[in-house]
Amino acid sequence: MASDPVKDPVKDLADEPVDHRFKGLPPDAHAAGLTVGRLTAQRRGLHTGGFTTPVLTLDADALEHNLTALGTYAARHALAFAPHGKTCMAPQLFRRQLDHGAWGITAAVPHQARVYRAFGIQRIFLANELVDPAALRWVAAELASDPGFRFVCYVDSVRGVHLMDRALRDAPAVIDVVVELGAGEGARTGARSDEDCRAVADAVADAATLRLVGIAGYEAEVPDADPERVHAYLRRLTGLAVEFDKAGRFAAYPDLEEIVVSAGGSAWFDAVADVFGEMPELSRPTLRLLRSGAYVSHDHGWYTRLTPFNRHPEEGGLRPAFRLWTQVVSRPSPTQAFLNAGKRDIAYDLGLPTAELVRDALTGEERPAAGVRVVKLSDQHAWLETDSADDVQVGDWVALGMSHPCTIFEKWPLIPVVESDGTVSDYVRTFF
């Protein structure tokens, strides 16, 4: 349902009580019955304000830098932008992404779309074929109740189209769909051939409950992806859009205002900008929609290596915004130490974290974590290997950098945002 125009559900997050659900927050804030808003107003210091370890933080300056960087990049290349919300599932960050020019927010599954709607998101691109009857009926009801709501999802099979049409026969609204072109044999989802895409489009044309509005795909799934292969796949995708337009597939819908062509993760958005920029004019305005999501926090490893800004530094750059502060709880030998954070707190699907900083427990002095390496994770411990007995001591705080924003955000329901002087100025709520 459409959000109440008087209420602001994002601002209402400040009214949530600080309690046991939120890792790392000051215990005295819970004891005092503080809300998130009241705790924010106190502007506590991360290391002096009663926060407990482990605690995940976001760097305020890095967040703003990253939001600006992709907003500027998309505008420079005439791309609309629907960042993938699955990365953070944080309505406060969605609001900031929209404030930086985003067209809407991308989702992967119906639950995410429901969260978006609860927080007033008016444009949702669901990058999956949606064949769940209950979810389809919910989307149709949302569209019928809110004329300002726009929803688009993938279709990639004739059977999927038939299932969608069956579920929507008595629904109050038609759903917009884009045919997903798969990135190749062995890739993830998507119709594998151009002929398969045509068959899916034909099925949509026969379904009164659906409206074909464009073509989409995900270039990061190209097998053995390199610039040549990725560009070739994207040209296939835009070529299909041109073909469908010339064949009158979009003209069948007189009220269709724009044709959607969409792609773009966080590793190849430069290729998307290149190829989408080459597209000829179509019979209607074209919404060239980029969907990168990991940029908002970036990371300390995987995307640091993969970001297109490495290939085009003149276009800008991103900064890692995450830092997980942990504490040394055991130092059984000069070469071994243990932190009080493990798999429950740390993203590890794309590699082990790296030790970035050490903060002395007695003096508060911070230094680079030279000679300190994470070599293994248990459920609640990180195993450290050290070069010397002086590298860390029991009680020291150790800041870890991690890879893969999607699996970092999901472990932390409330994340302090920290200014350069260590002041906590905000808290980001996630909904996974």
Side-chain angles (χ1 to χ4, degrees), residues 99-282:
D99 288 345
H100 281 78
W103 170 89
I105 306 294
T106 296
V109 294
H111 160 71
Q112 293 165 0
R114 291 182 63 196
V115 171
Y116 299 0
R117 288 298 286 159
F119 287 92
I121 301 301
Q122 287 294 90
R123 292 171 176 164
I124 297 174
F125 185 100
L126 196 146
N128 254 326
E129 185 169 63
L130 182 58
V131 292
D132 183 307
L136 285 162
R137 289 192 289 269
W138 171 80
V139 170
E142 289 287 298
L143 290 165
S145 67
D146 181 0
F149 176 42
R150 178 85 192 276
F151 179 88
V152 180
C153 72
Y154 282 175
V155 286
D156 79 350
S157 65
V158 171
R159 179 179 171 85
V161 170
H162 291 164
L163 288 170
M164 295 175 75
D165 185 46
R166 178 180 178 181
L168 293 167
R169 288 285 168 83
D170 298 318
V174 171
I175 289 181
D176 287 348
V177 297
V178 290
V179 174
E180 182 195 5
L181 171 65
E185 290 302 323
R188 203 163 64 188
T189 58
R192 287 298 189 254
S193 69
D194 293 5
E195 189 55 43
D196 289 340
C197 288
R198 296 181 191 108
V200 174
D202 288 342
V204 173
D206 291 336
T209 61
L210 304 177
R211 182 173 74 158
L212 181 67
V213 301
I215 299 286
Y218 181 47
E219 74 291 335
E221 284 293 314
V222 170
D224 302 315
D226 61 20
E228 183 178 354
R229 291 184 177 92
V230 170
H231 279 76
Y233 163 72
L234 290 167
R235 289 189 177 106
R236 277 186 64 206
L237 189 152
T238 57
L240 271 173
V242 171
E243 175 196 313
F244 279 19
D245 189 41
K246 288 181 177 178
R249 293 185 183 275
F250 305 123
Y253 308 100
D255 59 341
L256 180 63
E257 295 180 356
E258 61 188 4
I259 297 168
V260 179
V261 182
S262 180
S266 294
W268 294 101
F269 55 73
D270 57 337
V272 175
D274 288 346
V275 176
F276 282 16
E278 300 169 354
M279 280 189 65
E281 293 297 319
L282 303 181

Side-chain angles (χ1 to χ4, degrees), residues 3 31 123 150 157 200 205 218 224 234 286 289 297 311 329 347 359 384 389-390 410 424:
S3 59
R123 292 171 176 164
R150 178 85 192 276
S157 65
V200 174
Y218 181 47
D224 302 315
L234 290 167
T286 305
L289 195 61
S297 63
R311 296 185 287 271
V329 292
R359 181 182 175 88
L384 297 185
D390 297 327
E410 72 178 9
V424 177

